Amino acid sequence: MPFWAVVLAASLLALVGALWWARRRFVMVDVDGSSMSPAYLDGDTVLVRRTGRVRAGQVVAFIPRFEGGAVPSPGGGRLWLLKRVAAGPGDAVPPGLGPALLDLAGEPVPADGFVALGDNRVDSYDSRHEGLVALGRVRGVVVRKL
């Protein structure tokens, strides 16, 4: 086999491997709604790095709490919520977040949960309504807007 054929085959194999790795590690998510405005607007696309770890201040993508955990979105795919982590595992639950977290205010967030809030508090369904979000529902952390 000629040298150029070996190099070409190795390059193609490396490219396929890199694409496979990137697809397993990252996903693009379309923003639908205004709950994260002004950071992310309706129609924006964000790059999400797949992970199950969260820290306060990060914007995370997670599946809503519905039966089966995967709800079809209007555009086809799956519905993932984008919210900012207000308190991660071990952090204190912030006070004044409504009835769903009233009894937990000031208490540390359990190791398997976090508090998620939309940046646009007027138009956001988040931990103020639902309570703590389970870490098992996290699909990734927003890396950047595309």
Side-chain angles (χ1 to χ4, degrees):
M1 181 177 273
F3 178 72
W4 64 267
V6 172
V7 171
L8 180 63
S11 298
L12 287 174
L13 186 60
L15 178 63
V16 168
L19 290 173
W20 176 82
W21 175 84
R23 182 66 182 126
R24 303 262 315 150
R25 182 92 168 143
F26 296 98
V27 64
M28 293 188 310
V29 175
D30 294 324
V31 177
D32 183 22
S34 62
S35 71
M36 285 303 294
S37 105
Y40 304 110
L41 303 174
D42 187 28
D44 285 348
T45 299
V46 295
L47 183 64
V48 174
R49 179 177 43 87
R50 295 179 189 262
T51 183
R53 294 188 196 180
V54 300
R55 287 191 320 260
Q58 292 179 316
V59 176
V60 296
F62 60 95
I63 54 177
R65 184 170 52 188
F66 292 111
E67 59 183 81
V71 179
S73 70
R78 294 175 184 246
L79 177 65
W80 289 0
L81 300 177
L82 293 180
K83 304 293 177 195
R84 192 170 305 277
V85 177
D91 296 338
V93 174
L97 293 182
L101 294 171
L102 187 61
D103 295 340
L104 299 174
E107 298 292 321
V109 176
D112 63 345
F114 64 98
V115 176
L117 298 175
D119 287 356
N120 180 1
R121 304 280 160 79
V122 175
D123 189 26
S124 179
Y125 180 81
D126 49 36
S127 286
R128 295 171 300 155
H129 308 94
E130 183 175 301
L132 295 175
V133 178
L135 279 177
R137 293 171 42 202
V138 172
R139 293 299 173 251
V141 175
V142 174
V143 176
R144 64 177 304 200
K145 184 174 11 176
L146 297 175

